[in-house]
PDB file of all heavy atoms in Angstrom:
ATOM      1  N   PRO F 135     -11.907 -15.082 -12.479  1.00 95.00           N
ATOM      2  CA  PRO F 135     -10.879 -16.116 -12.309  1.00 95.00           C
ATOM      3  C   PRO F 135      -9.683 -15.574 -11.525  1.00 95.00           C
ATOM      4  O   PRO F 135      -9.298 -14.418 -11.685  1.00 95.00           O
ATOM      5  CB  PRO F 135     -10.458 -16.457 -13.741  1.00 95.00           C
ATOM      6  CG  PRO F 135     -11.532 -15.927 -14.619  1.00 95.00           C
ATOM      7  CD  PRO F 135     -12.181 -14.798 -13.897  1.00 95.00           C
ATOM      8  N   LEU F 136      -9.105 -16.423 -10.678  1.00 96.00           N
ATOM      9  CA  LEU F 136      -7.921 -16.045  -9.917  1.00 96.00           C
ATOM     10  C   LEU F 136      -6.696 -16.079 -10.815  1.00 96.00           C
ATOM     11  O   LEU F 136      -6.668 -16.783 -11.824  1.00 96.00           O
ATOM     12  CB  LEU F 136      -7.725 -16.998  -8.743  1.00 96.00           C
ATOM     13  CG  LEU F 136      -8.891 -17.125  -7.764  1.00 96.00           C
ATOM     14  CD1 LEU F 136      -8.509 -18.048  -6.617  1.00 96.00           C
ATOM     15  CD2 LEU F 136      -9.335 -15.775  -7.233  1.00 96.00           C
ATOM     16  N   PHE F 137      -5.688 -15.343 -10.439  1.00 95.00           N
ATOM     17  CA  PHE F 137      -4.407 -15.258 -11.147  1.00 95.00           C
ATOM     18  C   PHE F 137      -4.551 -14.899 -12.626  1.00 95.00           C
ATOM     19  O   PHE F 137      -3.975 -15.550 -13.490  1.00 95.00           O
ATOM     20  CB  PHE F 137      -3.609 -16.568 -10.990  1.00 95.00           C
ATOM     21  CG  PHE F 137      -3.249 -16.868  -9.569  1.00 95.00           C
ATOM     22  CD1 PHE F 137      -3.987 -17.789  -8.831  1.00 95.00           C
ATOM     23  CD2 PHE F 137      -2.194 -16.208  -8.963  1.00 95.00           C
ATOM     24  CE1 PHE F 137      -3.668 -18.051  -7.510  1.00 95.00           C
ATOM     25  CE2 PHE F 137      -1.872 -16.468  -7.645  1.00 95.00           C
ATOM     26  CZ  PHE F 137      -2.607 -17.391  -6.906  1.00 95.00           C
ATOM     27  N   PRO F 138      -5.279 -13.831 -12.914  1.00 92.00           N
ATOM     28  CA  PRO F 138      -5.383 -13.415 -14.315  1.00 92.00           C
ATOM     29  C   PRO F 138      -4.031 -12.872 -14.779  1.00 92.00           C
ATOM     30  O   PRO F 138      -3.396 -12.102 -14.077  1.00 92.00           O
ATOM     31  CB  PRO F 138      -6.426 -12.302 -14.278  1.00 92.00           C
ATOM     32  CG  PRO F 138      -6.301 -11.729 -12.898  1.00 92.00           C
ATOM     33  CD  PRO F 138      -5.952 -12.897 -12.015  1.00 92.00           C
ATOM     34  N   MET F 139      -3.583 -13.303 -15.912  1.00 92.00           N
ATOM     35  CA  MET F 139      -2.325 -12.790 -16.456  1.00 92.00           C
ATOM     36  C   MET F 139      -2.618 -12.141 -17.801  1.00 92.00           C
ATOM     37  O   MET F 139      -2.474 -12.734 -18.855  1.00 92.00           O
ATOM     38  CB  MET F 139      -1.305 -13.922 -16.621  1.00 92.00           C
ATOM     39  CG  MET F 139      -0.715 -14.386 -15.325  1.00 92.00           C
ATOM     40  SD  MET F 139       0.148 -13.024 -14.507  1.00 92.00           S
ATOM     41  CE  MET F 139       0.123 -13.610 -12.843  1.00 92.00           C
ATOM     42  N   ASP F 140      -3.083 -10.902 -17.709  1.00 93.00           N
ATOM     43  CA  ASP F 140      -3.429 -10.145 -18.902  1.00 93.00           C
ATOM     44  C   ASP F 140      -2.833  -8.752 -18.781  1.00 93.00           C
ATOM     45  O   ASP F 140      -2.079  -8.467 -17.841  1.00 93.00           O
ATOM     46  CB  ASP F 140      -4.953 -10.109 -19.096  1.00 93.00           C
ATOM     47  CG  ASP F 140      -5.693  -9.583 -17.864  1.00 93.00           C
ATOM     48  OD1 ASP F 140      -5.054  -8.965 -16.980  1.00 93.00           O
ATOM     49  OD2 ASP F 140      -6.913  -9.784 -17.784  1.00 93.00           O
ATOM     50  N   THR F 141      -3.168  -7.893 -19.705  1.00 92.00           N
ATOM     51  CA  THR F 141      -2.623  -6.534 -19.697  1.00 92.00           C
ATOM     52  C   THR F 141      -2.992  -5.790 -18.421  1.00 92.00           C
ATOM     53  O   THR F 141      -2.152  -5.089 -17.842  1.00 92.00           O
ATOM     54  CB  THR F 141      -3.136  -5.746 -20.929  1.00 92.00           C
ATOM     55  OG1 THR F 141      -2.777  -6.468 -22.099  1.00 92.00           O
ATOM     56  CG2 THR F 141      -2.546  -4.355 -20.978  1.00 92.00           C
ATOM     57  N   MET F 142      -4.232  -5.967 -17.949  1.00 91.00           N
ATOM     58  CA  MET F 142      -4.646  -5.284 -16.725  1.00 91.00           C
ATOM     59  C   MET F 142      -3.838  -5.774 -15.520  1.00 91.00           C
ATOM     60  O   MET F 142      -3.472  -4.987 -14.651  1.00 91.00           O
ATOM     61  CB  MET F 142      -6.142  -5.462 -16.473  1.00 91.00           C
ATOM     62  CG  MET F 142      -6.623  -4.592 -15.324  1.00 91.00           C
ATOM     63  SD  MET F 142      -8.390  -4.602 -15.091  1.00 91.00           S
ATOM     64  CE  MET F 142      -8.941  -3.845 -16.602  1.00 91.00           C
ATOM     65  N   ALA F 143      -3.537  -7.064 -15.480  1.00 94.00           N
ATOM     66  CA  ALA F 143      -2.731  -7.605 -14.375  1.00 94.00           C
ATOM     67  C   ALA F 143      -1.323  -7.013 -14.402  1.00 94.00           C
ATOM     68  O   ALA F 143      -0.745  -6.725 -13.342  1.00 94.00           O
ATOM     69  CB  ALA F 143      -2.685  -9.125 -14.455  1.00 94.00           C
ATOM     70  N   MET F 144      -0.777  -6.829 -15.588  1.00 95.00           N
ATOM     71  CA  MET F 144       0.569  -6.246 -15.691  1.00 95.00           C
ATOM     72  C   MET F 144       0.557  -4.768 -15.291  1.00 95.00           C
ATOM     73  O   MET F 144       1.486  -4.285 -14.645  1.00 95.00           O
ATOM     74  CB  MET F 144       1.128  -6.426 -17.102  1.00 95.00           C
ATOM     75  CG  MET F 144       1.406  -7.882 -17.467  1.00 95.00           C
ATOM     76  SD  MET F 144       2.573  -8.687 -16.345  1.00 95.00           S
ATOM     77  CE  MET F 144       1.481  -9.745 -15.407  1.00 95.00           C
ATOM     78  N   MET F 145      -0.517  -4.049 -15.644  1.00 94.00           N
ATOM     79  CA  MET F 145      -0.665  -2.658 -15.191  1.00 94.00           C
ATOM     80  C   MET F 145      -0.800  -2.627 -13.667  1.00 94.00           C
ATOM     81  O   MET F 145      -0.260  -1.736 -13.006  1.00 94.00           O
ATOM     82  CB  MET F 145      -1.880  -2.000 -15.846  1.00 94.00           C
ATOM     83  CG  MET F 145      -1.691  -1.673 -17.315  1.00 94.00           C
ATOM     84  SD  MET F 145      -0.382  -0.459 -17.593  1.00 94.00           S
ATOM     85  CE  MET F 145      -1.109   0.985 -16.839  1.00 94.00           C
ATOM     86  N   SER F 146      -1.515  -3.598 -13.128  1.00 96.00           N
ATOM     87  CA  SER F 146      -1.682  -3.697 -11.684  1.00 96.00           C
ATOM     88  C   SER F 146      -0.333  -3.956 -11.005  1.00 96.00           C
ATOM     89  O   SER F 146      -0.039  -3.376  -9.962  1.00 96.00           O
ATOM     90  CB  SER F 146      -2.687  -4.802 -11.352  1.00 96.00           C
ATOM     91  OG  SER F 146      -2.816  -4.948  -9.958  1.00 96.00           O
ATOM     92  N   LEU F 147       0.485  -4.821 -11.580  1.00 97.00           N
ATOM     93  CA  LEU F 147       1.827  -5.058 -11.027  1.00 97.00           C
ATOM     94  C   LEU F 147       2.628  -3.765 -11.016  1.00 97.00           C
ATOM     95  O   LEU F 147       3.230  -3.410  -9.999  1.00 97.00           O
ATOM     96  CB  LEU F 147       2.561  -6.128 -11.831  1.00 97.00           C
ATOM     97  CG  LEU F 147       4.036  -6.328 -11.466  1.00 97.00           C
ATOM     98  CD1 LEU F 147       4.204  -6.715 -10.004  1.00 97.00           C
ATOM     99  CD2 LEU F 147       4.674  -7.354 -12.392  1.00 97.00           C
ATOM    100  N   LEU F 148       2.614  -3.049 -12.128  1.00 97.00           N
ATOM    101  CA  LEU F 148       3.319  -1.771 -12.198  1.00 97.00           C
ATOM    102  C   LEU F 148       2.806  -0.816 -11.109  1.00 97.00           C
ATOM    103  O   LEU F 148       3.588  -0.175 -10.409  1.00 97.00           O
ATOM    104  CB  LEU F 148       3.144  -1.144 -13.578  1.00 97.00           C
ATOM    105  CG  LEU F 148       3.787   0.221 -13.789  1.00 97.00           C
ATOM    106  CD1 LEU F 148       5.302   0.128 -13.676  1.00 97.00           C
ATOM    107  CD2 LEU F 148       3.394   0.781 -15.147  1.00 97.00           C
ATOM    108  N   GLY F 149       1.494  -0.755 -10.954  1.00 97.00           N
ATOM    109  CA  GLY F 149       0.911   0.116  -9.939  1.00 97.00           C
ATOM    110  C   GLY F 149       1.283  -0.285  -8.527  1.00 97.00           C
ATOM    111  O   GLY F 149       1.578   0.567  -7.687  1.00 97.00           O
ATOM    112  N   HIS F 150       1.295  -1.581  -8.248  1.00 98.00           N
ATOM    113  CA  HIS F 150       1.665  -2.045  -6.911  1.00 98.00           C
ATOM    114  C   HIS F 150       3.146  -1.778  -6.621  1.00 98.00           C
ATOM    115  O   HIS F 150       3.503  -1.441  -5.484  1.00 98.00           O
ATOM    116  CB  HIS F 150       1.337  -3.533  -6.753  1.00 98.00           C
ATOM    117  CG  HIS F 150      -0.098  -3.787  -6.479  1.00 98.00           C
ATOM    118  ND1 HIS F 150      -1.032  -3.923  -7.487  1.00 98.00           N
ATOM    119  CD2 HIS F 150      -0.780  -3.916  -5.312  1.00 98.00           C
ATOM    120  CE1 HIS F 150      -2.217  -4.130  -6.940  1.00 98.00           C
ATOM    121  NE2 HIS F 150      -2.095  -4.128  -5.629  1.00 98.00           N
TER     122      HIS F 150
END
Side-chain angles (χ1 to χ4, degrees):
L136 303 183
F137 298 100
M139 286 300 158
D140 54 16
T141 303
M142 188 173 295
M144 293 302 106
M145 287 297 293
S146 177
L147 172 59
L148 178 64
H150 281 87

